[in-house]
Amino acid sequence: MLKKNSWIISLLLVCFACDSNQIFDAYESFPNKWHKDEVVSFSMTPPDSTQAYNLYVNIRNNNDYRFNNLFLIVELNYPNGKAIKDTLKYKMAAPDGTLLGTGFSDVKENKLWYKGYESPFVFNETGEYTINIQHAMRENGKVDGVENLEGITDVGFRVESIKSN
């Protein structure tokens, strides 16, 4: 019995040790569809205002997602009132329609760059930051946005510390 418990504990430690650069990782689920007016919000307080970080939007989607791309409006609100709003475009499918991302089932996970890829991102104010994510999808040739975006099962936000060599 003791050997079995030791093996389970060791396995758990290995799993958690593999993700030591994770600072924040949270998701919100959508059981059926993501309404165009629904804003996903995450709040976090970074541990260090001098450290560089990589920021990601994480998307889980299934075969009901029928677009090649995903357009998002992402807003980063600083503790002292400053806000940065970006409209982002991500490729979600190969030219043949095969969904991109990782996963063995019909659910694919996509870790999409938000900040930190061009230059190090630093949370230069101390306090709580809020990240708001909203889809901005439209069908070709139509002005109005997609009312209910199907196929997106989860939207997440992740912050990783950048390890210096």
Side-chain angles (χ1 to χ4, degrees):
M1 183 67 149
L2 185 58
K3 276 187 169 183
K4 184 178 181 182
N5 288 339
S6 297
W7 185 83
I8 291 171
I9 291 171
S10 298
L11 180 63
L12 288 172
L13 287 173
V14 168
C15 289
F16 287 112
C18 295
D19 204 9
S20 63
N21 57 345
Q22 172 191 323
I23 302 300
F24 180 85
D25 196 11
Y27 284 87
E28 184 172 321
S29 295
F30 296 99
N32 299 314
K33 49 194 144 221
W34 186 8
H35 190 272
K36 70 177 184 174
D37 296 329
E38 187 170 357
V39 177
V40 180
S41 292
F42 301 99
S43 296
M44 61 152 316
T45 302
D48 188 339
S49 62
T50 62
Q51 164 101 22
Y53 298 95
N54 290 325
L55 282 59
Y56 302 93
V57 173
N58 291 332
I59 300 289
R60 290 184 186 131
N61 58 294
N62 62 29
N63 290 332
D64 293 334
Y65 190 76
R66 58 188 179 94
F67 298 96
N68 290 328
N69 298 311
L70 175 64
F71 288 87
L72 298 175
I73 298 170
V74 181
E75 181 181 60
L76 177 61
N77 295 292
Y78 285 68
N80 296 327
K82 175 181 168 183
I84 297 173
K85 189 179 272 192
D86 296 300
T87 302
L88 307 169
K89 176 184 176 183
Y90 298 105
K91 187 174 183 171
M92 300 296 288
D96 68 357
T98 304
L99 293 175
L100 302 176
T102 59
F104 296 107
S105 68
D106 71 329
V107 176
K108 299 297 180 194
E109 180 148 1
N110 293 273
K111 184 177 175 181
L112 309 170
W113 278 103
Y114 172 50
K115 300 257 182 222
Y117 58 93
E118 291 176 337
S119 62
F121 180 82
V122 176
F123 292 101
N124 55 12
E125 295 178 11
T126 57
E128 186 176 75
Y129 287 74
T130 302
I131 299 86
N132 297 317
I133 305 170
Q134 184 175 15
H135 85 76
M137 294 299 294
R138 298 188 184 330
E139 292 187 34
N140 283 339
K142 295 190 179 177
V143 175
D144 294 330
V146 173
E147 185 84 16
N148 291 300
L149 184 60
E150 296 179 355
I152 301 294
T153 61
D154 301 275
V155 175
F157 187 74
R158 181 178 174 92
V159 178
E160 295 179 357
S161 62
I162 298 174
K163 301 293 184 194
S164 57
N165 295 334

